[in-house]
Structure formats: C-alpha cells, structure tokens
C-alpha cells in the first residue's frame, strides 16, 4: 500500500516538530513524512525525539527548506522520491510583537515574507501537481490572530488575516479539483514561538512613547495569564491536524480550542467593529485578573460580555 506523503514546513520546534513526530510514529505506519527545516543545523531535537519515539526507519526524512527562498523550495520538492506530495502542511511562521513604531528595520518585510508570501510560494510550488492529480490536502497553521486582531500584533495579525483570505479563496476554486484546503486555527500553544519573534520581544521600545510602553507592559501581563490559563500543548494541537487530514470531506476551518469563539463572533455580530474593539481593549488593558484580583470589576465595566469571553486569549499567537 502506498503511504501518504506529507511535507511539513517549520519542523525545528513547536507544532511542526510535534506533527512530524506524530505522523511518523503513527501505529498505522501509513505516513512518509518530509519534515523540512529552514536550517538543517537545527534538526537535532527532531531527530532525537524521533529516535526516542521509535519512528520506523524510512518514516521520517528531513530536508532543508526556507519558505523565503523559491530555489530552496524547488530543491526540497525535487528530493521527494515518491514524486508527489499528498498532504502539504504550511506551518512555518514568525511572530512580531510590540508597538508598530518599535519594529526594527526589515522586521515587517521579514514577517510578511515568511507568514504570507512564504505560504504563497509553497502553494505555487505544490498546488499545480495536486490539481493535475485531482487529489491533495493542504493544511495551513492559522491563528486566532487571523480571525480577530490582537493589540501589539498588528503586522502578525495582518499576515494571519491574509492567510484566511488566501485559503478561503483557494477552497472555493479547488472544490472540483478534489484538493482540500484547511486552516487549523490555533489559540496559544506552548512552543518557543514568543522567543523566536522577529526582532525580539517588543522591538526598539524607546521609539514608542511612555503611554504606549505602559500599555505594552500591561498587555504582556495579560498575555502571561492567558497563556498560563489557556495555553495548549503541541501534542493536543496536532491531533486537530490529524482530524483535518483524515476527514472524508475536510472543512475550511478547524479550531484547536473554542475558548475565543465568543470574541470572534462578536466581530461579526456587530459589523461596525465597535463592540469588538471595546471588548478587546477592556480585556487586554484592564485585565484585573492579570493584576491579581478576580476580574469582576472589568467584567462589570464591559457590560455585555461574561467572564470567559473577556478572558479569551488576546495573547501573541
Ligand atoms: N505558538 C502559538 O501560540 C501559536 C498560535 C497560533 C498560531 N501559531 C502558528 O503556528 C506555526 C508554528 O509556530 P510554533 O508555535 O510551532 O512556533 P515555533 O516553534 O517558533 O515554530 C515556527 C517554525 O517556523 C520556522 N520558520 C521560521 N521562518 C522560516 C522560514 N523562512 N522558512 C522555513 N521555516 C521557517 C521556524 O524555524 P527556525 O527555528 O529555523 O526559525 C520554526 O521551525 C506558526 O505559523 C505560528 O504562526 C502559533
């Protein structure tokens, strides 16, 4: 029986690493996983974990692939010995956190290039063959930050909002081709993502005024609490990827957590945006729970929303 050939970007750590391991060690032994990494020098943790998990020989192969470099994508594609990829996982991503004016030179371009254009490059490389074969699945690692904006994540959210449009557009087109696109919408996940954020946490903060800096520190305290309370382990999140991968008729969106759905729904129930902006501001900057109280005051002020909604993740993702 032919194995399902899966190629994943961004496997040096986090979700990509755990998904590669999960599939390569699946008891069915039905997956051949090409785990790709921007820099092969960082493949140690993946290979050690694969050995510890007892991944069968030939179930996992690492390839260099930088989503910012079309030549490196083509070179990786040429090394897929099966001559086809059944499941493409566009997972590589980079965060950018801080006041807009504090982002370092080049950071904005870099993040858009990885998160958005990098995904487009991958699709341009792999989609034509899937269409020709009238078969294929594309899984894209999405984010709550692509469904509702988070403060101090303007460019990151812009990149993840853009992925939503990209994938939704393709999903409509691809129906008759038998190719399915799914976005796996993740809330906060315990990975090295914050530490790897472009330009470091906050960027050049002294470029921002004192009031903005104060709001940023408040937001960071809020994030700490949200990640502590709502952060998921990558092992839990990758099961949602498997759900999408195995679905006979995959949906466009899968959610790793339902915790933030009330806020997402608020964006649509008041199309003016005013309700969402007010609730999100309250949650991020007047988070009494993050300051040590029970948060009751903040809830009362926000009026319409209840505790769980106000405490929905507005953390960097
Ligand atoms: N963690 C969260 O809370 C969260 C929430 C929602 C969505 N997400 C999304 O989940 C995805 C994976 O992130 P993660 O949480 O697992 O964090 P992570 O551990 O930092 O993984 C990100 C991966 O992307 C890779 N990458 C960055 N630039 C690349 C490039 N130019 N070419 C190829 N690979 C590149 C990184 O490689 P290097 O190590 O070589 O830089 C790393 O392997 C991202 O798309 C992120 O936006 C994360």
């Amino acid at each position: 029986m032919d194995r399902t050939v899966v190629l994943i970007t961004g496997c040096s750590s986090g979700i990509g690493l755990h998904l590669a391991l999960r599939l390569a060690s699946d008891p069915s032994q039905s997956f051949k996983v090409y785990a790709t990494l921007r820099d092969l020098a960082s493949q140690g943790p993946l290979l050690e974990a694969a050995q510890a998990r007892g991944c069968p020989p030939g179930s996992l192969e690492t390839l260099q692939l930088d989503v910012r470099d079309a030549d490196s994508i083509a070179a990786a594609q040429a090394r897929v010995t099966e001559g086809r990829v059944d499941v493409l996982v566009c997972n590589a991503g980079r965060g950018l956190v801080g006041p807009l004016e504090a982002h370092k030179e080049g950071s904005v371009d870099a993040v858009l290039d990885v998160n958005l254009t990098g995904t487009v490059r991958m699709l341009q490389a792999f989609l034509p063959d899937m269409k020709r074969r009238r078969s294929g699945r594309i899984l894209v690692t999405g984010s709550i930050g692509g469904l509702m904006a988070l403060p101090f994540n303007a460019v990151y959210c812009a990149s993840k909002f853009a992925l939503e449009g990209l994938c939704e557009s393709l999903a409509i087109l691809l129906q008759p081709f038998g190719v399915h696109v799914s976005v796996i919408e993740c809330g906060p996940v315990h990975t090295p993502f914050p530490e790897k954020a472009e330009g470091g946490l906050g960027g050049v903060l002294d470029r921002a005024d004192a009031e903005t800096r104060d709001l940023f520190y408040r937001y960071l305290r809020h994030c700490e609490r949200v990640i502590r309370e709502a952060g998921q382990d990558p092992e839990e999140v990758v099961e949602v990827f498997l759900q999408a991968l195995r679905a006979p008729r995959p949906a466009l969106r899968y959610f790793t957590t339902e915790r933030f759905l009330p806020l997402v729904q608020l964006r649509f129930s008041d199309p003016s945006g005013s309700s969402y902006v007010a609730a999100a501001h309250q949650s991020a900057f007047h988070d009494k729970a993050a300051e040590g109280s029970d948060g009751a005051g903040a809830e009362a002020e926000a009026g319409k929303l209840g505790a769980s909604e106000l405490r929905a993740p507005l953390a960097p993702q």
Side-chain angles (χ1 to χ4, degrees):
M1 189 193 73
D2 269 358
R3 289 183 296 177
T4 302
V5 179
V6 185
L7 186 140
I8 310 169
T9 61
C11 293
S12 69
S13 58
I15 296 169
L17 179 149
H18 283 88
L19 181 60
L21 282 179
R22 171 68 182 82
L23 292 172
S25 62
D26 192 72
S28 68
Q29 300 199 9
S30 61
F31 297 104
K32 166 69 185 281
V33 181
Y34 288 94
T36 73
L37 302 93
R38 182 175 61 88
D39 180 359
L40 277 182
S42 60
Q43 67 182 334
L46 172 65
L47 296 182
E48 282 158 28
Q51 200 172 20
R53 286 270 284 260
C55 294
S59 62
L60 180 77
E61 197 169 317
T62 56
L63 296 175
Q64 192 276 334
L65 191 160
D66 182 340
V67 299
R68 301 187 68 183
D69 176 358
D71 291 342
S72 114
I73 295 175
Q77 189 171 22
R79 293 196 51 196
V80 174
T81 50
E82 292 79 4
R84 66 171 205 286
V85 167
D86 301 306
V87 181
L88 173 67
V89 184
C90 298
N91 166 73
R94 189 72 81 204
L96 182 58
V97 188
L100 199 65
E101 58 273 36
H103 294 333
K104 293 179 180 160
E105 277 60 53
S107 292
V108 171
D109 288 348
V111 166
L112 293 174
D113 198 41
V114 174
N115 296 0
L116 174 60
T117 318
T119 305
V120 173
R121 282 188 200 99
M122 290 299 294
L123 293 169
Q124 286 179 323
F126 289 91
L127 194 52
D129 182 57
M130 288 182 173
K131 286 168 84 177
R132 227 175 354 259
R133 290 188 294 108
R134 301 191 93 74
S135 167
R137 289 186 183 214
I138 295 158
L139 307 185
V140 175
T141 309
S143 168
I144 173 190
L147 298 169
M148 59 184 210
L150 314 166
F152 295 116
N153 283 271
V155 174
Y156 177 71
C157 287
S159 74
K160 291 292 186 181
F161 267 65
L163 285 184
E164 294 292 328
L166 176 75
C167 294
E168 198 168 283
S169 171
L170 289 173
I172 297 165
L173 167 73
L174 291 173
Q175 280 209 329
F177 290 91
V179 178
H180 301 277
V181 181
S182 299
V183 189
I184 315 303
E185 312 289 5
C186 301
V189 188
H190 298 298
T191 72
F193 189 69
E195 296 97 81
K196 291 187 180 182
E198 190 74 33
L201 191 65
V204 191
L205 275 174
D206 56 11
R207 285 191 198 155
D209 60 85
E211 190 176 349
T212 303
R213 286 201 303 270
D214 177 58
L215 287 169
F216 182 59
Y217 297 131
R218 271 203 234 181
Y219 173 66
L220 290 182
R221 284 197 294 277
H222 164 78
C223 290
E224 274 172 27
R225 180 183 66 76
V226 169
I227 291 167
R228 202 171 50 243
E229 286 179 7
Q232 292 180 287
D233 289 328
E235 289 87 351
E236 183 183 350
V237 166
V238 302
E239 292 306 322
V240 183
F241 284 74
L242 264 87
Q243 197 189 329
L245 199 155
R246 289 182 166 143
R249 293 173 60 84
L252 172 60
R253 293 192 181 87
Y254 289 83
F255 294 86
T256 66
T257 169
E258 298 196 339
R259 191 178 166 116
F260 56 85
L261 283 179
L263 274 170
V264 172
Q265 279 155 2
L266 188 63
R267 284 190 73 235
F268 293 102
S269 61
D270 174 7
S272 79
S274 302
S275 301
Y276 175 72
V277 168
H281 182 90
Q282 184 72 26
S283 175
F285 301 125
H286 301 281
D287 182 347
K288 294 284 192 286
E291 309 297 334
S293 92
D294 63 2
E299 283 151 30
E301 278 173 59
K304 292 182 198 143
L305 289 172
S308 63
E309 290 155 334
L310 275 170
R311 289 174 189 170
L314 280 171
Q317 287 129 29

